[in-house]
Amino acid sequence: MDMISLKTPVGELTIFAEAKNITALCWGRGADAPRQSENAALELARRLLVEYFETGHDQFNKLSFDPHGTPFQKSVWGEMSKIKAGKTKSYGEISTILSSGPRAVGGACGANPIPILIPCHRIINADGSQGYYSGGDGPYTKKLLLELERSSV
């Protein structure tokens, strides 16, 4: 598995890939993670993340993902990937689309192995409050990501 690290406004991130597919994104730097990589998928992901943090616009649909998870989790992550930057959906809205329950959707959000790139931060509570976030500094990181995107719309 290849990896690359980069510094961002939400902390240092390490992206992992197997061949042409992004498989994970974690906060922190992998002990042996290079700043540059010969893996084209990782270099593209790094470049798109740098652009995202500079502009608030994402072009993450240019990436190929292969997250490890259950079929249900993958269906939730697929729905999350459809939400455009600057927009949000509630756990309930996603659960209605998938004929599931909001708690199950929340569980899948929390298990998302590729946060930011698969935008689990765009899932909020039905009352409009931002809800939980497991990445970085938790709710502060989610708020920062949502504000970055809203300021670019």
Side-chain angles (χ1 to χ4, degrees), residues 49-151:
L49 276 167
V50 168
E51 182 179 306
Y52 169 75
F53 284 111
E54 288 175 352
T55 67
H57 298 114
D58 82 58
Q59 295 186 39
F60 303 142
N61 61 348
K62 293 181 177 182
L63 298 169
S64 177
F65 301 114
D66 187 18
H68 300 274
T70 67
F72 175 74
Q73 289 170 331
K74 289 179 180 187
S75 69
V76 172
W77 303 334
E79 288 301 317
M80 288 190 299
S81 294
K82 295 176 185 178
I83 305 169
K84 303 292 183 203
K87 303 292 183 185
T88 58
K89 282 194 175 181
S90 72
Y91 296 99
E93 288 174 305
I94 299 295
S95 70
T96 298
I97 292 167
L98 298 175
S99 300
S100 178
R103 288 181 192 236
V105 170
C109 288
N112 176 12
I114 313 175
I116 303 174
L117 301 177
I118 296 178
C120 51
H121 61 279
R122 296 180 188 152
I123 307 298
I124 61 170
N125 292 328
D127 66 4
S129 61
Q130 77 178 28
Y132 181 72
Y133 193 66
S134 60
D137 289 328
Y140 172 79
T141 299
K142 183 172 185 169
K143 181 180 178 188
L144 190 147
L145 293 170
L146 291 173
E147 287 176 353
L148 170 71
E149 294 175 1
R150 287 182 184 133
S151 69

